[in-house]
Amino acid sequence: MPEATLAKATHHDTRRSNERLVLRTIYEAGPLSRADVARSTDLTRTTVSDLVEGLLDHGLVVEAGTGPSTGGKAPILLRVPADARQLIGIDVDRDRLSGVVVDLRGEIQHRETRELDGRDGVDALRELDALVLSLTEVATRPLIGVGVGTPGLVDPVDGTVRWAVGLDWRDEPVAKRLADITGLPTVVVNDSQAAAMAEWTFGQHDTGSAMVVVKVGEGIGAGIVLGGRLYAGEDDGAGEIGHTRVTDDGIACRCGSTGCLETIASQRAVLARARGLAATEPGWALAGQSVTHRALLEAFEAGDVVARRVVLESAPSLGRTLAAVIGTLGARDVVIVGPMAEFGETWLQAVRAEASRSALPLLVERATIHLGRTGDDVVELGAAAMLMTSELGLALTA
């Protein structure tokens, strides 16, 4: 690279880095004056003023009144308005696509859900295209981009889904596909990793410890945060616990193996057992019904003996797997999210009890296994948070 071009590139990179620093400072601590920003960032007042003008021009920062005077002219305060930009967050599940439009503080402005009804492969991709385009049309502010959380192994560099078992996606360039369709920056990550980032951002946790977020829904996966950073592993497969074999005489899994954790402890597996009983136990309250997650949850909460048995059968395998994770990482913060977490403390206690029996007691005693705090939109918010970091250098905060 010619020396003049290299110098120009270096100057551009420095300016971009400083601009992100100024924006992040105002976002996290505003309203602040220009002088406050200069003191916080160790940049000169001239540099800060120049960068702030650019941020004002782009609508990322606004003037928000004046601060107290220290003897001279009252300083003008700056802040980042929540509605300066919007982001699209998508949760791809095996049976359903969920999408949200959120502002810069993670407040959901619009939500859409689309059922896949068993469709996978190209058909599922087309439904994803349609959902994303629909969300771009309802956005009311300039969009930063699209963040997608999907099951399976995902290349973190280019957003290619290397293998998503339940969706029959292999080497699908999902990020490029959506970027081409929308013209927007697109980030695609594993859904459990997205959930981990959402819990790290919005949950209450010990910042000095490892955190493992386990998403138990149609599939099962874990996202691992070490030292405040997402750990994806050498082959981007860290946390793929759902296809760990937990029994030798289990049923066939869609990955090609048998006895995988997902075939016992996932929402899909629990519902399959419940539907089998609904067809074979005429005296059961849900007999003859097409059992849904909501119906099973209501029966479980009402104390129905059969519903409780079906749901709690999933706990031992999950508990033993979590014990292995705790023993391997020494993690003290284990968070469970996803539809199965809706079965609450009774189910969670059964998971904890098995984990305690299956690992070195001291390690499990020091670990906290608890339900997540970010609700149903954990993957969408996590994907949006990762997009916001990559595009603006901001850590999405409420």
Side-chain angles (χ1 to χ4, degrees):
M1 183 182 292
E3 187 174 337
T5 303
L6 181 60
K8 184 176 181 180
T10 302
H11 174 73
H12 177 270
D13 291 343
T14 300
R15 181 180 176 84
R16 185 168 183 266
S17 177
N18 287 340
E19 185 177 66
R20 285 186 166 210
L21 175 60
V22 169
L23 181 62
R24 184 167 64 249
T25 301
I26 299 171
Y27 176 80
E28 293 176 352
L32 295 173
S33 69
R34 288 167 176 80
D36 292 332
V37 175
R39 281 190 290 270
S40 296
T41 60
D42 287 330
L43 297 173
T44 67
R45 292 195 181 195
T46 300
T47 298
V48 168
S49 293
D50 178 47
L51 294 171
V52 165
E53 288 307 309
L55 294 171
L56 287 167
D57 288 343
H58 286 93
L60 281 166
V61 167
V62 297
E63 294 181 341
T66 57
S69 172
T70 57
K73 184 178 179 181
I76 297 174
L77 301 179
L78 305 165
R79 66 177 179 88
V80 176
D83 63 353
R85 295 289 189 276
Q86 290 179 330
L87 310 93
I88 291 174
I90 303 288
D91 179 7
V92 178
D93 212 336
R94 288 181 172 89
D95 288 338
R96 179 183 299 106
L97 305 175
S98 303
V100 297
V101 176
V102 300
D103 66 17
L104 294 185
R105 295 293 178 182
E107 289 294 326
I108 295 173
Q109 309 297 309
H110 180 80
R111 181 184 284 106
E112 286 188 31
T113 300
R114 297 191 177 214
E115 302 294 331
L116 287 177
D117 297 322
R119 288 172 292 171
D120 56 16
V122 174
D123 290 336
L125 284 169
R126 288 173 178 159
E127 197 63 38
L128 176 60
D129 296 344
L131 174 60
V132 171
L133 286 173
S134 176
L135 292 170
T136 64
E137 292 171 359
V138 299
T140 57
R141 304 295 294 168
L143 284 165
I144 293 174
V146 181
V148 179
T150 176
L153 300 176
V154 182
D155 188 320
V157 176
D158 63 8
T160 295
V161 179
R162 293 161 59 194
W163 189 21
V165 176
L167 292 164
D168 194 25
W169 289 352
R170 275 187 178 269
D171 297 320
E172 288 289 351
V174 176
K176 182 179 184 302
R177 178 188 181 99
L178 294 178
D180 289 345
I181 289 171
T182 63
L184 295 169
T186 303
V187 170
V188 178
V189 296
N190 172 269
D191 58 348
S192 297
Q193 293 174 355
M197 289 311 297
E199 280 293 331
W200 180 263
T201 300
F202 296 109
Q204 299 172 1
H205 52 81
D206 178 359
T207 57
S209 69
M211 183 179 73
V212 179
V213 177
V214 182
K215 182 172 181 278
V216 189
E218 288 290 318
I220 300 176
I224 303 166
V225 179
L226 300 175
R229 294 181 177 274
L230 193 65
Y231 177 70
E234 293 292 329
D235 294 315
D236 311 312
E240 278 294 321
I241 62 174
H243 296 288
T244 300
R245 191 173 185 178
V246 295
T247 180
D248 291 331
D249 57 354
I251 64 175
C253 179
R254 288 173 296 177
C255 73
S257 185
T258 57
C260 292
L261 179 63
E262 287 190 4
T263 67
I264 298 173
S266 69
Q267 177 196 37
R268 176 187 290 268
V270 171
L271 284 176
R273 289 198 298 274
R275 287 163 182 160
L277 289 173
T280 58
E281 292 199 17
W284 187 29
L286 299 181
Q289 298 184 30
S290 177
V291 182
T292 64
H293 175 80
R294 178 55 51 188
L296 183 61
L297 178 60
E298 289 175 354
F300 181 88
E301 291 176 337
D304 182 275
V305 174
V306 177
R308 289 172 69 87
R309 186 179 81 237
V310 169
V311 171
L312 295 180
E313 281 175 354
S314 70
S317 294
L318 181 59
R320 287 192 292 272
T321 303
L322 294 187
V325 171
I326 292 169
T328 301
L329 296 175
R332 293 191 180 184
D333 193 2
V334 179
V335 187
I336 302 180
V337 301
M340 286 301 294
E342 294 181 24
F343 289 99
E345 284 296 324
T346 301
W347 172 77
L348 183 64
Q349 286 173 11
V351 173
R352 284 186 187 131
E354 188 62 34
S356 296
R357 288 191 289 267
S358 305
L360 191 65
L362 182 62
L363 287 178
V364 179
E365 288 168 8
R366 288 179 175 178
T368 301
I369 303 174
H370 60 95
L371 302 178
R373 299 180 176 89
T374 51
D376 295 339
D377 304 306
V378 59
V379 173
E380 295 95 316
L381 288 174
M386 295 177 77
L387 171 73
M388 193 159 148
T389 298
S390 67
E391 294 303 312
L392 295 181
L394 301 180
L396 184 63
T397 58

